[in-house]
Amino acid sequence: FLRSAWPELRDVRFEVADMPAATDDDGIPRWTVLPDAGRIILYRLPIERLSHMHRDDDLHRRMLVEGAVFRAAAEYLDRDPWDLGPERFRYF
């Protein structure tokens, strides 16, 4: 969805790693954005284990991962995550 909606993301490499090499001032990062290299690295273990879900089911796990991807892509684009797909999240 993001690649088709945002041409700036078409050539970006989305990668998944287990853990970041180091912590930062905010603790353990969930992703790293490398705009000069055209890369976004998502860290699986912090996303899975340190994020809080109010329900532990497949839908909420998917929403958790999708939210991390949107926030990382928004950081890459220097935009608000809600700007990336406002119609995608109008469930109600």
Side-chain angles (χ1 to χ4, degrees):
F1 169 78
L2 288 173
R3 289 181 194 271
S4 64
W6 293 90
E8 300 95 319
L9 294 174
R10 288 198 181 124
D11 294 326
V12 173
R13 285 186 16 211
F14 287 83
E15 303 172 14
V16 177
D18 287 333
M19 285 289 292
T23 61
D24 60 20
D25 293 338
D26 296 323
I28 300 173
R30 306 312 195 260
W31 58 82
T32 297
V33 173
L34 304 167
D36 293 338
R39 294 172 57 201
I40 296 173
I41 305 167
L42 298 148
Y43 300 112
R44 183 181 62 80
L45 292 173
I47 290 171
E48 288 178 349
R49 303 216 175 133
L50 299 177
S51 301
H52 302 287
M53 293 188 298
H54 64 278
R55 264 197 179 149
D56 189 12
D57 60 20
D58 288 340
L59 174 65
H60 288 86
R61 278 189 292 278
R62 180 178 168 216
M63 289 170 51
L64 181 77
V65 171
E66 190 173 86
V69 171
F70 267 74
R71 290 191 308 273
E75 183 179 324
Y76 183 90
L77 296 171
D78 195 27
R79 299 189 65 109
D80 186 87
W82 291 105
D83 292 341
L84 301 187
E87 295 301 319
R88 187 168 174 83
F89 296 103
R90 295 188 196 270
Y91 296 122
F92 305 103

